[in-house]
Amino acid sequence: MRDGKIRIGIMGLGQIGRQLYHLALEKNEIDIVAVADIGKPEIIEYLLKSDGFDEPSCHLQDNYLVSAKFRTRMLQLARPEEVPWDVLDVDCVVDATRRYRRRPDGERDVGAGARRVILASLPSEPIDRIVIPGVNEGNAAGADRMISAGSATTNAFALLLQSV
């Protein structure tokens, strides 16, 4: 954390990654400091501006996506071990690719300097914890390094069960 803000790196700026970016623009506690994606930064900027949300006031400048809240380093990289999370001083990496769902994948992010990895999908093998909001978020522990936020289906089902 720097200046009391959580410094987030996003692996994959597809639909889930872009939604996270939009949500971070609404919060003062989060800085999206880096995005690693195989897509060209110009295309990612265009997709962010045409998502159907209120248009974010961001623009691409020298490989940074600049908004009123934060500057996001755009990296055209494909694999976790290629991203210098330590140099970028990232607290947490959100893997929104659905591609890297195994423990060794998350360990590569940690090896590259991420303090914690959150999967935006279910893991394909056991990791430290799966946290489903409204079900077991109180079970998360500071020692957890690899956490899954479940899946859209799992979270919707948890909400359904709560209302019954």
Side-chain angles (χ1 to χ4, degrees):
M1 290 178 82
R2 189 187 301 167
D3 301 325
K5 295 185 178 188
I6 302 169
R7 297 174 55 81
I8 303 285
I10 302 175
M11 190 76 184
L13 215 63
Q15 183 179 13
I16 292 172
R18 291 193 313 273
Q19 283 188 343
L20 180 60
Y21 185 90
H22 287 291
L23 289 171
L25 286 172
E26 298 173 8
K27 303 289 181 185
N28 291 324
E29 305 85 13
I30 299 173
D31 277 346
I32 306 293
V33 296
V35 167
D37 193 286
I38 60 173
K40 292 182 179 180
E42 299 83 13
I43 294 172
I44 292 172
E45 175 194 24
Y46 172 79
L47 291 171
L48 273 168
K49 290 181 174 184
S50 59
D51 271 335
F53 292 90
D54 290 336
E55 185 173 319
S57 56
C58 62
H59 63 281
L60 194 60
Q61 177 184 357
D62 301 326
N63 281 335
Y64 284 88
L65 194 58
V66 180
S67 73
K69 294 217 172 192
F70 40 75
R71 285 173 43 100
T72 303
R73 179 75 164 107
M74 303 299 288
L75 302 162
Q76 199 170 355
L77 300 170
R79 294 190 315 262
E81 66 271 15
E82 297 175 333
V83 185
W85 299 124
D86 54 350
V87 173
L88 297 163
D89 194 25
V90 168
D91 296 314
C92 179
V93 171
V94 176
D95 186 300
T97 66
R98 289 193 36 90
R99 184 175 183 177
Y100 303 109
R101 301 182 308 139
R102 296 176 27 249
R103 177 170 289 283
D105 300 326
E107 289 171 352
R108 289 197 299 263
D109 279 316
V110 171
R115 294 172 187 86
R116 181 166 284 121
V117 178
I118 298 176
L119 301 178
S121 59
L122 288 169
S124 60
E125 62 185 45
I127 59 171
D128 296 335
R129 189 152 335 257
I130 297 175
V131 177
I132 306 299
V135 176
N136 68 339
E137 71 270 4
N139 294 340
D144 296 338
R145 293 291 168 247
M146 287 189 65
I147 301 166
S148 168
S151 67
T153 305
T154 305
N155 287 297
F157 191 61
L159 287 172
L160 175 69
L161 290 176
Q162 281 185 327
S163 67
V164 175

